[in-house]
């Protein structure tokens, strides 16, 4: 239990750091930069202009501390400000439209990839030598491919030429979003290729790391003891080896989450998938700072939350973690 | 007594020692060798590439018929929307990307080493603070933060990118190095060194660091890998100096000029492929370094080949006579066609001894 | 207790009857060894050559007997014991010899080296159990005590859940572990308790042989005493044979019936514990015994054995102990390390590998390797053990 509490405190600190960074970055920009930025929006609605000024810390909007408190208050109320380019749309509503798409696609694909990859890794550690080691270099290559590049290739081959999958988008152009079968099946169909890309690039990584952990674990004394006990091979590999090997593998999963999410977001751009990625690209091209910052916050919180979930799973699995007081 | 000064045979003869030193390269795990060679190839390109480029990568050929050409004799990798030679861009781009990544790697690793070793060695509050800091930056997703940072900076030039990437790149290595330093600190030889009154810095440089070389190397390689991935992703988003040629900016232009939908694969495949290959080289190199430290991870190291079959850690110890004596069924079937089998006696069947 | 034979009733199964296969059941007597290791050799196949860890070793274990296997680190004692059950990990390779198991429960003799892996599994633990050196490492960290012991019971004995639990509980009682602790995980137990769990686990299937690999080395002296007492008590009750591996010869002198001493992969001496204690024949054994200070008696200079163990990849012909031997001469290059009976010994099975040195042989006046500790004086076998 104390382990969980310590982790919660940690995540709270990390969240606070993220918020504070978000707050200070615009205000730390050199004066010339500020002017530069402001000059990019000559046609802004005065209210929006004021909001931008406030964010950048220009024009004496009150003491720094005062601003900070207001800022934190805003965030707590999910008030990320008004969007600069799509004024008067609120940033939070833009996010609300896109985040679910990303979470479903990336979340599901990542979990599937992890499960399949780990399972294959266990198989690799089941018996000795042979087939897997021959595949290893290929897997390594797969793991090193940037997601969006693989996306480009797959689109070229499977969507453009073979026409098996749609070229992109979240759903077919004419459909109306809603809880109807037409929309849902279309959305599902459109998510297949992106998910496939994510899964392929991720699976290789998980499989490789799990294989390595299995090999190390197989060398442990308690696995030897399990063999000496004459237990069936399946039990030795699953309950004695894999059950222990999964622990560092899970840790690695938690550590990699931020990286996986980042890469997936860039991949969405290639597919024109209506997720956070596209939003980010638009924000960057139109210098929409409030949006950029909001995206950073939301993604960070999502990753922190996912980390927390993994921690909970870890505690559930590892009896030593339950007892750990430090 | 001289008669009893026997050579126990523990020291290998001199010729063997020399051979062993040259064998050091041979003994490197094959993964590391492939990775190193591949990387070496690209480093070579990075160095001589721009001079090899047949055209000026930025030269926009006004002749519209040369726009978006597929590979031909004149343009080995085709042309872009603006008539630019893709091959030249590629050759120039490799240098830019690698250069940036290596510098980020050096800077970030330097920071990581300093932070990691001091946190692990000094411990206490210093350690707590540094660890908290690195863990926080590790858990926050890098790309969105990089986007925000770079988005605000007025010039998105190379220096800015390097600084920003290094700023987020050090925690990963720092954590690993700290863990190793902690473990080493408690080892006897370090304690002995301190007992004899060695100054802390002396202990760090002469006792601890030499034992962490492979770890630092692995950390460096990993950071370079991250730098390449991140810089390419950032450039792809448009957050780079779009006037200079790197693999990432090539991809940006390819994407924004709709190379994909226009089917101009020669434009976006080569840079992406090169990124993937360099990435693979680095990953292989890292796995190789890992295997150097933990030989069990080598393919075939936790195994032994006897009688044509591989025996692993979860198999019973192989018995030489058994492995040789028992041919496979297919083998014995085929063998029965040979002339030798006519004159052979019955094969021994291994079984319980009465 | 269960449907299987209650512990301790294996002692008298020497009837003849035909087993299901029609082959006559082995006619038992207490003279046939239950584990016979003949001409056994194991190498570790490394990139730099084969390391001959065990070299043509012959050793027998009889029912109910405690045989101690003593030697330095690297002498091959663990390799011998684990190798005989084929539990060595790559790159180990068994290059020769035979290991025959004649368990009283099985009825037929079993050639361990030619068994298939699945056949081996039924043999393991049920017939030959192992108590590992470090319980912390040998116990699965994510399973509790109950599950780990039940694993063995369910794998080998066909009993119902209730019977299995009953057996588990009485096992825990045997080794004086409170029943509530069965839900504990290994990291929640003390070192001594963990070792007792290992012992309970080893007893679970009522094995014929228990191999104990330095079971008390990792424990402090007081706990060591308790564990050893426990082992002796269990052995009396359940009458299994023990192969006790240790580098601590003094333990064996108390505990074992017979002691086998190994050096550089070869057996150098086998004798009853009494004889080893008072009349050791091989120079290495003598050296080992001289390494313990005695609690009582006059102070004397600790001798020890100078030098270091040899490189097992490049063993010169003849006796591997020669470089460190006080008695060594050039003739030692030519011996073949076979074990020969010591005529003068009270134990008729006392064998040694050294043809030149017998119990009571005085040290040469000029010691072989310049170890000045006992220069000049003929050495009597004043042993320092306990």
């Amino acid at each position: 239990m104390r382990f969980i509490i310590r982790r919660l405190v940690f995540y709270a600190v990390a969240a606070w750091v993220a918020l504070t960074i978000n707050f200070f970055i615009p205000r730390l920009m050199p004066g010339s930069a500020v002017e530069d930025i402001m000059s990019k929006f000559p046609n802004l609605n005065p209210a929006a202009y004021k909001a931008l000024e406030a964010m950048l810390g220009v024009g004496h909007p009150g003491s720094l501390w005062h601003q900070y408190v207001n800022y934190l208050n805003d965030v707590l109320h999910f008030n990320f400000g008004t969007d600069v380019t799509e004024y008067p749309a609120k940033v939070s509503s833009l996010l609300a439209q896109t985040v679910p798409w990303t979470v479903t696609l990336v979340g599901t694909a990542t979990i599937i990839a992890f499960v399949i990859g780990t399972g294959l890794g266990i198989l690799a550690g089941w018996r000795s030598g042979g087939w897997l080691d021959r595949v290893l270099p290929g897997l390594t290559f797969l793991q090193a491919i940037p997601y969006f590049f693989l996306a480009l290739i797959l689109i070229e081959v499977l969507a453009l030429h073979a026409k098996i999958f749609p070229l992109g988008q979240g759903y077919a152009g004419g459909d109306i979003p809603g809880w109807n079968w037409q929309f849902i099946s279309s959305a599902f169909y459109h998510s297949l290729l992106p998910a496939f890309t994510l899964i392929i690039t991720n699976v290789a990584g998980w499989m490789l790391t799990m294989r390595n952990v299995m090999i190390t674990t197989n060398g442990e004394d308690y696995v030897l003891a399990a063999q000496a006990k004459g237990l069936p091979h399946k039990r030795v590999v699953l309950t004695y080896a894999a059950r222990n090997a999964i622990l560092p593998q899970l840790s690695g999963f938690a550590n990699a989450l931020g990286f996986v999410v980042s890469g997936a977001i860039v991949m969405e751009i290639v597919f024109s998938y209506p997720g956070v990625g596209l939003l980010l690209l638009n924000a960057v091209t139109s210098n929409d700072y409030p949006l950029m910052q909001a995206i950073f916050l939301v993604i960070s919180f999502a990753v922190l939350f996912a980390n927390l979930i993994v921690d909970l799973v870890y505690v559930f699995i590892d009896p030593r973690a339950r007892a750990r007081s430090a | 007594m001289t008669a009893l000064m026997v050579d126990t045979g523990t020291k290998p003869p001199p010729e063997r020692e020399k051979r062993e030193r040259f064998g050091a390269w041979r003994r490197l795990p094959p993964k590391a060798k492939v990775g190193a060679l591949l990387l070496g190839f690209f480093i070579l390109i990075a160095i001589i590439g721009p001079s090899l480029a047949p055209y000026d990568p930025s030269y926009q050929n006004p002749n519209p018929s040369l726009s978006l050409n597929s590979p031909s004799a004149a343009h080995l990798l085709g042309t872009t929307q603006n008539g630019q030679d893709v091959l030249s861009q590629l050759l120039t781009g490799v240098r830019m990307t690698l250069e940036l990544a290596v510098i980020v790697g050096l800077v970030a690793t330097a920071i990581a080493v300093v932070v990691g070793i001091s946190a692990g060695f000094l411990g206490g509050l210093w350690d707590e603070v540094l660890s908290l800091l690195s863990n926080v930056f590790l858990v926050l997703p890098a790309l969105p933060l990089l986007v925000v940072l770079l988005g605000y900076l007025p010039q998105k030039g190379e220096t800015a990118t390097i600084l920003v990437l290094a700023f987020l790149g050090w925690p990963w290595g720092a954590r690993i190095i700290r863990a190793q330093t902690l473990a080493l600190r408690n080892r006897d030889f370090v304690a002995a060194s301190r007992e004899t009154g060695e100054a802390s810095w002396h202990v760090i440089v002469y006792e601890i660091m030499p034992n962490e070389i492979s770890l630092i190397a692995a950390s460096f390689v990993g950071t370079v890998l991250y730098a390449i991935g991140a810089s390419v992703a950032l450039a792809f988003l448009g957050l780079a100096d779009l006037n200079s040629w790197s693999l990432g900016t090539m991809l940006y232009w390819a994407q924004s000029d709709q190379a994909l939908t226009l089917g101009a694969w020669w434009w976006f495949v080569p840079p992406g492929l090169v990124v993937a290959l360099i990435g693979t080289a680095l990953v292989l190199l890292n796995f190789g370094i890992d295997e150097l430290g933990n030989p069990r991870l080598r393919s075939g190291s936790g195994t032994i080949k006897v009688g044509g079959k591989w025996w692993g850690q979860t198999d019973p110890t192989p018995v030489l006579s058994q492995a040789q004596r028992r041919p496979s069924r297919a083998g014995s079937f085929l063998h029965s066609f040979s002339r030798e089998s006519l004159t052979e006696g019955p094969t021994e069947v291994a079984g319980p001894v009465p | 207790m269960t449907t299987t034979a209650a512990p301790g009733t294996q002692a008298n199964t020497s009837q003849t009857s035909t087993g299901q296969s029609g082959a006559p059941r082995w006619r038992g007597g207490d003279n046939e060894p239950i584990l016979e290791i003949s001409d056994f050799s194991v190498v570790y196949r490394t990139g730099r050559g084969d390391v001959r860890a065990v070299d043509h070793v012959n050793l027998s274990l009889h029912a109910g007997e405690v045989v101690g296997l003593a030697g330095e680190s690297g002498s091959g004692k663990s390799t011998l014991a684990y190798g005989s059950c084929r539990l060595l990990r790559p790159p180990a390779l068994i290059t020769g010899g035979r290991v025959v198991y004649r368990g009283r429960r099985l009825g037929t003799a079993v050639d361990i080296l030619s068994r298939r892996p699945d056949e081996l599994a039924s043999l393991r633990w049920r017939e030959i159990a192992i108590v590992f050196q470090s319980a912390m490492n040998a116990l699965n960290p994510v399973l509790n005590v109950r599950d780990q012991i039940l694993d063995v019971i369910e794998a080998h004995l066909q009993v119902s859940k209730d019977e299995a639990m009953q057996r588990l509980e009485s096992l825990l009682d045997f080794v004086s572990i409170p029943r509530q602790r069965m839900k504990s995980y290994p990291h929640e137990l003390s070192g001594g308790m963990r070792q007792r769990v290992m012992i309970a686990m080893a007893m679970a299937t009522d094995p014929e042989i228990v191999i104990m690999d330095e079971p008390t080395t990792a424990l402090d002296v007081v706990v060591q005493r308790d564990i050893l007492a426990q082992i002796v008590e269990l052995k009396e009750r359940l009458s299994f044979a023990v192969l006790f591996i240790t580098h601590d010869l003094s333990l064996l002198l108390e505990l074992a019936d017979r002691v086998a001493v190994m050096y550089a992969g070869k057996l150098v001496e086998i004798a009853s514990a009494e004889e080893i204690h008072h009349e050791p024949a091989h120079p290495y054994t003598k050296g080992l015994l001289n390494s313990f200070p005695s609690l009582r008696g006059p102070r004397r200079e600790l001798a020890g054995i100078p030098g270091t163990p040899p490189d097992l990849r490049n063993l010169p012909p003849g006796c591997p102990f020669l470089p460190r031997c006080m008695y060594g001469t050039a003739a030692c290059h030519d011996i073949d390390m076979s074990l020969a009976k010591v005529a003068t010994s009270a134990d008729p099975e006392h064998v040694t590998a050294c043809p030149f040195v017998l119990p009571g042989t005085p040290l040469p006046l000029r010691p072989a390797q310049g170890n000045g500790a006992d220069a000049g004086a003929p050495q009597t076998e004043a042993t320092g053990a306990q």
Side-chain angles (χ1 to χ4, degrees):
Chain A
M1 199 51 205
R2 291 181 66 172
F3 179 66
I4 303 269
I5 294 186
R6 281 185 71 93
R7 293 309 285 167
L8 276 173
V9 168
F10 171 70
Y11 292 130
V13 171
W16 173 80
V17 168
L19 286 170
T20 311
I21 289 182
N22 228 2
F23 177 77
F24 275 107
I25 288 183
R27 286 167 177 75
L28 286 175
M29 288 296 134
S32 58
V34 174
E35 282 167 26
D36 214 30
I37 293 172
M38 299 299 278
S39 68
K40 287 190 184 134
F41 302 100
N43 303 319
L44 219 41
N45 180 301
Y49 200 70
K50 245 189 146 216
L52 190 60
E53 273 193 324
M55 195 187 66
L56 289 168
V58 175
H60 312 293
S63 76
L64 202 62
W65 178 251
H66 194 71
Q67 292 176 45
Y68 188 53
V69 172
N70 282 340
Y71 164 74
L72 286 179
N73 194 29
D74 281 339
V75 171
L76 278 173
H77 290 101
F78 293 111
N79 177 10
F80 292 112
T82 38
D83 193 44
V84 174
T85 41
E86 299 207 15
Y87 195 85
K90 295 181 71 79
V91 169
S92 44
S93 59
L94 285 173
L95 284 171
Q97 286 170 352
T98 52
V99 165
W101 287 95
T102 303
V103 167
T104 358
L105 174 66
V106 176
T108 325
T110 309
I111 294 182
I112 293 180
F114 181 70
V115 168
I116 297 182
T118 303
L120 288 176
I122 294 181
L123 273 179
W126 190 280
R127 284 249 119 97
S128 39
W131 69 272
L132 178 69
D133 292 332
R134 268 174 257 139
V135 184
L136 228 45
L139 283 179
T140 317
F141 179 70
L142 216 56
Q143 188 202 21
I145 300 181
Y147 302 160
F148 59 88
F149 177 69
L150 185 64
L152 289 170
I153 305 273
L154 286 177
I155 290 182
E156 170 83 16
V157 172
L158 292 176
L160 211 54
H161 290 299
K163 299 221 182 334
I164 303 178
F165 292 101
L167 257 180
Q169 309 291 334
Y171 48 91
D175 294 338
I176 305 165
W179 290 105
N180 54 63
W181 175 245
Q182 166 102 350
F183 175 69
I184 293 181
S185 61
S186 164
F188 180 72
Y189 180 52
H190 279 81
S191 71
L192 285 177
L193 198 54
F196 186 58
T197 321
L198 268 176
I199 293 181
I200 291 206
T201 28
N202 275 326
V203 159
W206 300 131
M207 183 179 177
L208 283 170
T209 44
M210 190 60 178
R211 170 223 176 227
N212 285 349
V213 179
M214 280 295 282
I215 289 184
T216 312
T217 311
N218 272 339
E220 293 281 347
D221 280 346
Y222 51 82
V223 174
L224 182 67
Q227 290 170 259
K229 292 207 273 195
L231 301 179
H233 190 73
K234 186 171 117 174
R235 188 145 176 95
V236 174
V237 175
L238 289 183
T239 317
Y240 282 75
R243 188 92 158 52
N244 280 284
I246 198 104
L247 295 172
Q249 177 79 343
L250 258 183
S251 292
F253 180 65
N255 287 338
L257 275 176
F259 175 76
V260 169
V261 167
S262 302
I265 286 177
V266 174
M267 183 212 70
E268 283 181 350
I269 296 172
V270 176
F271 283 102
S272 303
Y273 199 74
V276 180
L278 214 47
L279 204 62
L280 187 64
L281 181 66
N282 293 336
V284 170
T285 42
S286 51
N287 292 306
D288 193 342
Y289 295 104
L291 187 56
M292 275 197 280
Q293 293 187 230
I295 291 179
F296 163 62
L297 275 185
V298 165
I299 297 181
S300 300
F301 289 164
V303 170
L304 288 178
F305 183 68
N307 265 292
L308 181 64
I309 306 261
V310 175
D311 281 340
L312 288 173
V313 173
Y314 192 95
V315 167
F316 184 67
I317 296 186
D318 186 7
R320 288 165 293 186
R322 285 177 233 154
R324 205 179 299 154
S325 49
Chain B
M1 291 242 70
T2 47
L4 301 158
M5 297 307 239
V6 182
D7 190 342
T8 59
T10 44
K11 215 170 170 352
E15 316 88 62
R16 262 191 76 184
E17 273 195 51
K18 216 206 279 178
R19 246 190 293 137
E20 279 187 22
R21 230 177 293 139
F22 284 119
W25 168 257
R26 236 175 292 134
R27 263 189 278 120
L28 265 186
K31 281 201 195 86
K33 279 188 254 178
V34 170
L37 287 173
L38 198 56
L39 190 63
F41 171 67
F42 283 111
I43 293 181
L44 191 65
I45 296 211
I47 297 176
I48 64 173
S51 10
L52 278 183
Y55 302 87
D56 175 3
S58 314
Y59 175 62
Q60 298 186 23
N61 200 314
N63 188 343
S65 72
L66 276 178
S67 160
L68 280 184
N69 282 10
S70 42
S72 59
H75 297 271
L76 286 173
L77 281 178
T79 56
T80 71
Q81 180 88 316
N82 295 323
Q84 295 157 328
D85 180 35
V86 172
L87 179 64
S88 311
Q89 291 184 350
L90 195 67
L91 288 172
T92 333
V94 171
R95 165 188 285 194
M96 174 87 177
T97 305
L98 269 182
E99 192 182 278
L100 188 134
V102 166
I103 299 181
V104 171
L106 287 171
V107 173
T109 307
I111 302 179
V113 166
V114 168
V115 170
I117 291 192
S118 57
F121 194 75
L122 298 173
L125 187 63
W126 184 240
D127 180 18
E128 295 285 327
V129 168
L130 283 177
S131 296
L132 187 62
L133 202 64
S134 8
N135 284 336
V136 164
F137 277 105
L138 274 177
V139 82
L140 294 176
L143 191 71
L145 185 54
L146 287 170
V147 166
V148 170
L149 282 171
L150 267 183
Y152 270 109
L153 286 174
Q155 319 102 317
K156 307 185 204 310
E158 202 179 333
T159 329
T161 315
I162 290 179
L163 286 175
V164 160
L165 285 178
F167 173 61
L168 286 189
W170 63 265
W172 179 73
R175 194 152 88 156
I176 305 181
I177 294 180
R178 168 189 173 270
Q180 179 79 332
T181 310
L182 264 182
L184 281 177
R185 183 175 68 154
N186 297 327
R187 290 270 295 275
D188 295 336
F189 68 92
V190 173
S193 186
R194 293 173 96 175
E195 287 296 314
T196 59
E198 298 279 6
S200 287
W201 68 267
H202 191 272
V203 176
I204 291 180
V205 171
Y206 286 99
E207 306 278 352
I208 294 194
M209 276 189 77
N211 281 293
E212 295 190 351
I213 297 275
S214 76
L215 202 62
I216 297 179
S219 168
F220 173 71
V221 172
T223 311
V224 170
L225 188 61
Y226 141 81
I228 292 186
S231 68
V232 169
L234 285 171
F236 187 65
L237 280 174
L239 285 165
D241 182 5
L242 297 172
N243 292 322
S244 67
W245 291 108
S246 74
L247 298 171
T249 51
M250 277 183 79
L251 285 166
Y252 170 80
W253 287 116
Q255 171 76 353
S256 74
D257 284 343
Q258 304 289 339
L260 178 64
T261 33
L262 296 173
W265 58 267
W266 56 88
W267 194 358
F268 64 82
V269 168
L273 196 63
V274 167
V275 170
L277 284 173
I278 298 182
T280 311
L282 289 169
V283 170
L284 282 176
L285 198 60
N286 236 358
F287 274 156
I289 298 181
D290 269 348
E291 287 178 0
L292 212 58
N294 183 3
R296 267 192 296 213
L297 292 175
R298 267 183 234 203
S299 344
S301 175
T303 56
I304 181 176
K305 189 167 189 180
V306 183
K309 180 185 164 196
W310 284 95
W311 300 73
Q313 299 184 80
T314 46
D315 295 318
T317 315
V319 182
L320 191 61
S321 52
Q322 294 299 321
Q324 291 167 340
R325 215 194 302 167
R326 217 197 290 236
S328 65
R329 272 202 225 164
S332 39
F333 176 68
L334 289 173
H335 181 71
S336 65
F337 286 98
S338 74
R339 207 173 288 138
E340 285 78 13
S341 65
L342 280 177
T343 47
E344 280 171 353
T347 51
E348 290 184 57
V349 176
V353 176
Chain C
M1 193 197 280
T2 61
T3 49
T4 56
T9 58
Q10 288 174 10
N12 308 309
T13 45
S14 38
Q15 308 104 344
T16 358
S17 60
T18 31
Q20 279 116 340
S21 57
R25 260 199 184 169
W26 164 68
R27 188 188 194 100
D30 288 305
N31 290 330
E32 281 271 348
I34 54 173
L35 186 69
E36 190 172 359
I37 303 173
S38 346
D39 205 32
F40 192 59
S41 300
V42 179
V43 303
Y44 286 102
R45 195 148 275 187
T46 70
R48 297 191 218 175
D50 283 356
V51 176
R52 298 211 293 270
V54 174
D55 203 9
H56 300 291
V57 164
N58 297 285
L59 185 64
S60 313
L61 188 65
H62 297 86
E65 164 177 52
V66 178
V67 169
L69 195 49
E72 318 179 349
S73 321
S75 57
K77 46 192 201 299
S78 295
T79 310
L80 173 62
Y82 287 96
S84 61
C85 312
R86 297 179 63 185
L87 271 175
L88 292 171
R89 289 252 167 89
L93 174 64
I94 300 176
T95 49
R98 263 168 48 143
V99 178
V100 179
Y101 172 71
R102 296 188 179 87
R104 294 173 287 186
R105 188 185 293 135
L106 286 187
T108 50
V110 172
D111 180 2
I112 292 184
L113 297 187
S114 61
R115 293 299 242 189
R116 288 192 325 260
D118 47 310
E119 294 167 333
L120 264 182
S122 58
L123 195 66
R124 289 208 180 125
W125 215 259
R126 181 76 168 103
E127 304 295 328
I128 307 178
I130 304 188
V131 175
F132 291 87
Q133 175 172 349
S134 166
M136 189 64 236
N137 293 336
L139 289 173
N140 189 343
V142 297
L143 285 184
N144 60 27
V145 168
R146 178 197 60 190
D147 290 335
Q148 297 199 46
I149 301 186
L150 279 182
D151 254 349
V152 199
I153 298 180
E154 282 162 10
H156 293 286
L157 306 173
Q158 269 74 43
V159 294
S160 69
K161 282 263 188 241
D162 289 324
E163 285 163 336
M165 275 307 285
Q166 275 176 356
R167 195 176 180 103
L168 169 64
E169 282 165 3
S170 47
L171 279 168
L172 290 179
D173 293 340
F174 261 1
V175 294
S176 338
I177 291 185
R179 287 192 188 183
Q180 321 74 289
R181 296 316 295 267
M182 77 163 79
K183 294 248 180 71
S184 308
Y185 289 91
H187 66 275
E188 295 170 340
L189 302 170
S190 70
M193 240 189 238
R194 285 196 286 260
Q195 204 64 5
R196 277 183 274 149
V197 166
M198 295 272 293
I199 295 176
M201 207 155 62
M203 303 295 112
T205 50
D206 211 0
E208 182 76 70
I209 303 177
V210 178
I211 299 180
M212 300 205 174
D213 185 6
E214 313 231 27
T216 55
T217 305
L219 303 169
D220 63 67
V221 192
V222 179
V223 179
Q224 211 178 68
R225 198 100 199 113
D226 284 338
I227 301 283
L228 286 174
Q230 191 96 76
I231 292 176
V232 169
E233 190 198 322
L234 282 169
K235 190 198 145 276
E236 297 304 308
R237 224 189 305 182
L238 303 175
S239 75
F240 45 83
V242 176
L243 182 59
F244 198 104
I245 306 173
T246 180
H247 58 270
D248 187 353
L249 191 51
S250 60
L251 269 183
L252 294 178
L253 298 176
E254 276 197 43
L255 201 59
D257 298 323
R258 281 193 301 143
V259 176
V261 181
M262 277 187 85
Y263 186 79
K266 305 186 206 299
L267 271 178
V268 295
E269 185 170 1
I270 311 179
S272 68
E274 270 294 302
E275 282 303 304
I276 290 270
H277 192 166
H278 296 116
E279 303 285 329
H282 198 276
Y284 179 57
T285 321
K286 295 193 214 226
L288 279 183
L289 289 165
N290 279 334
S291 309
F292 318 124
S294 100
L295 280 181
R296 301 173 217 108
R299 278 166 60 158
R300 38 172 220 108
E301 217 167 306
L302 266 185
I305 308 177
T308 50
D311 178 1
L312 294 175
R313 278 173 297 179
N314 298 304
L315 277 177
C319 179
F321 188 59
L322 176 55
R324 308 165 74 182
C325 184
M326 314 258 249
Y327 302 81
T329 64
C332 295
H333 285 298
D334 303 321
I335 67 172
D336 70 347
M337 296 299 291
S338 56
L339 297 169
K341 291 219 173 127
V342 176
T344 57
S345 178
D347 173 12
E349 301 297 318
H350 189 160
V351 290
T352 176
C354 182
F356 307 119
V357 175
L358 294 176
T361 308
L363 269 183
L365 288 178
R366 278 164 304 174
Q369 286 287 41
N371 168 21
D374 317 273
Q379 179 96 4
T380 49
E381 270 63 51
T383 58
Q386 238 51 12

